[in-house]
């Protein structure tokens, strides 16, 4: 079985991740922050250590600004619903995932103005177009760091500091970049960073976080018990409690921290180097297959882990089915929850075949995929 759907969620996980989940469930099984007994304190300590591990990985100055969520979708919902109000104007791009598009669409119904900047054919959003779109008073720019359809890496290190100068909030969807591309929230001027724990960070599904820059006021998305300030009718002002009502996913977060530690132990560019080598091998092989059409950046130094292609005259869904049934290879086909991105690159409505190797993918997997695609073609 060959798994090439790491853009959806990474698989397999490093062994340490499985062990950390198992250990947390067996030995830190109490409710964190909800009691003074030993096991509750152990669970709280586990969460604190996980927050610190994550904060240091992303150059986040204060670990309490890391708010755990169930994934990037919840983190983005918290960022968008928490910061935007009727009358606000927000600028976004044509490369966004539904995790950005749909909250923004719902916010339009509540009086928020949404402006979309169109990317070029390779999926790049021009910083100049973006700044021009902000010529009227704008509260926020929200965009993906790396497209889940074309793998296009956007120039966030240029856009973020410009937004900071203009006093525009800069929100980054790091679903496809966290753990692979370098992210420094301070240097990149990021105010809100939405991160899944289960993709590049190698953690279990159901994990993720939102980084909230110090001094930024957001309304909570979820209201309920926080294990503190019991008699207050509203959630406390302190972070992370303000945004973490309800019992957290302690075993998942333990696994997420183990994933981040695994990445840390590999060194900063090991994953990127490995994934780029596989991508080069993949692109070179695909160019040899008649009828293959590639999408996304031709310059692989601006390419993240997800690669989209179509086979002339073939429905992507059929190709995905054949790869799975006849070649034991798992890829994702269709629109990948990003319909606007397909409108941008001309693959709407049938979508593309998306290949997304991960850190634990090996060269032999790519060879097998190329052979399978060749046969189908
Ligand atoms: N944003 C992008 C670009 C994604 O690719 C994804 C997931 O595929 C998400 C957001 C949503 O992430 P999650 O599944 O962690 O909610």
């Amino acid at each position: 079985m060959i798994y090439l759907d790491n853009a959806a969620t990474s698989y397999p996980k490093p062994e340490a991740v499985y062990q950390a989940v198992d250990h947390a469930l067996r030995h830190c099984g109490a409710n964190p922050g909800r009691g003074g007994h030993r096991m509750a304190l152990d669970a709280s300590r586990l969460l604190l250590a996980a927050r610190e591990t994550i904060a240091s990985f992303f150059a986040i100055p204060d670990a309490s600004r890391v708010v755990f969520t169930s994934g990037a979708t919840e983190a983005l919902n918290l960022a968008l619903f928490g910061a935007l109000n009727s009358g606000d104007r927000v600028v976004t791009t044509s490369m966004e995932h539904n995790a950005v598009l749909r909250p923004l669409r719902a916010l339009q119904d509540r009086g928020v103005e949404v402006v979309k900047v169109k990317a070029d054919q390779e999926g790049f959003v021009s910083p100049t177009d973006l700044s021009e779109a902000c010529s009227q008073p704008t509260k926020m720019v929200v965009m993906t760091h790396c497209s889940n359809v074309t793998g296009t890496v956007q120039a966030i290190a240029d856009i973020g500091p410009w937004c900071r100068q203009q006093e525009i909030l800069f929100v980054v969807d790091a679903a496809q970049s966290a753990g692979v591309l370098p992210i420094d929230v301070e240097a990149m001027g990021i105010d809100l960073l939405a991160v899944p724990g289960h993709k590049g960070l190698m953690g279990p599904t159901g994990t993720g976080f939102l980084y909230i820059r110090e001094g930024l006021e957001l309304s909570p998305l979820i209201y309920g018990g926080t294990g503190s300030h019991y008699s207050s009718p509203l959630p406390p002002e302190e972070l992370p409690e303000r945004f973490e009502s309800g019992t957290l996913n302690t075993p998942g977060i333990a696994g997420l921290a183990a994933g981040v530690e695994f990445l840390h132990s590999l060194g900063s560019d090991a994953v990127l180097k490995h994934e780029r080598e596989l991508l080069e091998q993949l692109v070179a092989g695909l160019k040899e297959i008649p009828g293959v059409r590639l999408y996304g950046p031709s310059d692989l130094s601006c390419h993240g882990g997800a690669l989209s292609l179509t086979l002339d005259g073939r429905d992507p869904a059929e190709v995905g089915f054949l790869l799975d049934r006849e070649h034991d290879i798992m890829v994702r086909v269709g629109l990948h929850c990003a319909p606007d991105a397909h409108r941008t690159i001309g693959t709407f409505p049938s979508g593309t075949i998306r290949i997304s190797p991960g850190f634990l993918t090996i060269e032999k997997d790519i060879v097998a995929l190329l052979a399978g695609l060749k046969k189908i073609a």
Side-chain angles (χ1 to χ4, degrees):
M1 184 272 271
I2 294 173
Y3 182 81
L4 293 171
D5 194 15
N6 288 275
T9 198
S10 53
Y11 178 86
K13 309 294 180 186
E15 189 51 39
V17 172
Y18 298 114
Q19 285 172 8
V21 173
D22 186 77
H23 182 271
L25 261 179
R26 286 179 203 282
H27 304 291
C28 293
N31 202 323
R34 302 297 198 279
H37 58 79
R38 248 175 311 150
M39 200 156 62
L41 294 179
D42 284 347
S44 298
R45 275 193 279 269
L46 185 156
L47 293 184
L48 183 64
R51 255 185 253 283
E52 282 171 352
T53 300
I54 289 168
S56 90
F57 194 77
F58 290 94
I60 292 171
D62 174 0
S64 70
R65 314 298 300 185
V66 171
V67 170
F68 288 120
T69 62
S70 61
T73 301
E74 189 188 329
L76 285 161
N77 273 263
L78 172 55
L80 300 176
F81 284 101
L84 293 169
N85 295 300
S86 179
D88 288 338
R89 184 172 188 272
V90 53
V91 170
T92 189
T93 86
S94 72
M95 296 306 289
E96 303 309 311
H97 188 274
N98 277 337
V100 170
L101 292 178
R102 287 179 172 170
L104 288 183
R105 179 63 193 78
L107 281 159
Q108 265 181 316
D109 289 343
R110 299 184 190 182
V112 172
E113 186 191 351
V114 178
V115 177
K116 278 188 199 166
V117 175
K118 193 162 186 261
D120 69 15
Q121 197 60 33
E122 292 194 346
F124 287 108
V125 178
S126 140
T128 311
D129 290 353
L130 208 79
S131 62
E132 278 166 13
C134 295
S135 53
Q136 290 172 44
T138 302
K139 170 100 177 253
M140 173 191 286
V141 166
V142 51
M143 65 188 294
T144 184
H145 186 185
C146 174
S147 163
N148 67 318
V149 174
T150 56
T152 316
V153 178
Q154 310 294 356
I156 64 162
D158 297 331
I159 298 166
W162 179 83
C163 287
R164 179 98 12 127
Q165 267 175 10
Q166 309 298 312
E167 298 184 9
I168 297 172
L169 291 180
F170 187 46
V171 183
V172 174
D173 172 358
Q176 296 298 331
S177 57
V180 182
L181 300 170
I183 299 178
D184 179 325
V185 294
E186 287 287 294
M188 291 173 159
I190 299 172
D191 295 299
L192 293 157
L193 179 74
V195 180
H198 61 103
K199 298 184 198 261
L201 295 185
M202 313 272 196
T205 46
T207 61
F209 69 90
L210 179 70
Y211 157 70
I212 304 174
R213 197 245 305 146
E214 174 133 39
L216 202 58
E217 301 275 327
L218 293 186
S219 342
L221 192 63
I222 295 171
Y223 291 78
T226 54
S228 59
H229 301 79
Y230 300 102
S231 57
S232 162
L234 284 169
E237 294 296 324
E238 291 85 32
L239 264 69
E241 291 88 343
R242 180 166 178 74
F243 302 109
E244 288 182 347
S245 287
T247 301
L248 284 176
N249 175 5
T250 319
I253 292 166
L256 165 57
V260 175
E261 273 158 20
F262 172 80
L263 294 174
H264 184 67
S265 71
L266 292 176
S268 59
D269 60 355
V271 176
L272 185 60
K273 192 165 169 292
H274 179 69
E275 290 196 4
R276 287 261 159 86
E277 280 166 7
L278 293 176
L279 201 65
E280 278 166 22
Q281 182 197 355
L282 183 59
V283 169
L286 287 170
K287 284 185 175 160
E288 300 294 309
I289 302 175
V292 165
R293 204 175 290 246
L294 293 174
Y295 300 87
S298 45
D299 175 2
L300 295 190
S301 70
C302 306
H303 208 305
L307 181 104
S308 262
L309 65 112
T310 50
L311 264 184
D312 281 349
R314 306 294 286 270
D315 183 346
E318 181 208 359
V319 178
F321 178 80
L322 291 173
L323 281 173
D324 186 13
R325 288 304 160 96
E326 294 184 1
H327 301 274
D328 231 1
I329 298 174
M330 288 162 220
V331 300
R332 181 144 179 223
V333 294
L335 295 178
H336 322 296
C337 300
D340 281 0
H342 289 276
R343 289 187 180 100
T344 305
I345 63 168
T347 50
F348 188 86
S350 51
T352 56
I353 303 151
R354 184 181 73 184
I355 320 291
S356 53
F359 183 68
L360 298 171
T361 305
I362 53 175
E363 275 181 28
K364 232 171 72 187
D365 300 336
I366 304 296
V367 171
L369 169 82
L370 291 169
L373 274 175
K374 200 166 180 180
K375 192 150 178 240
I376 295 167

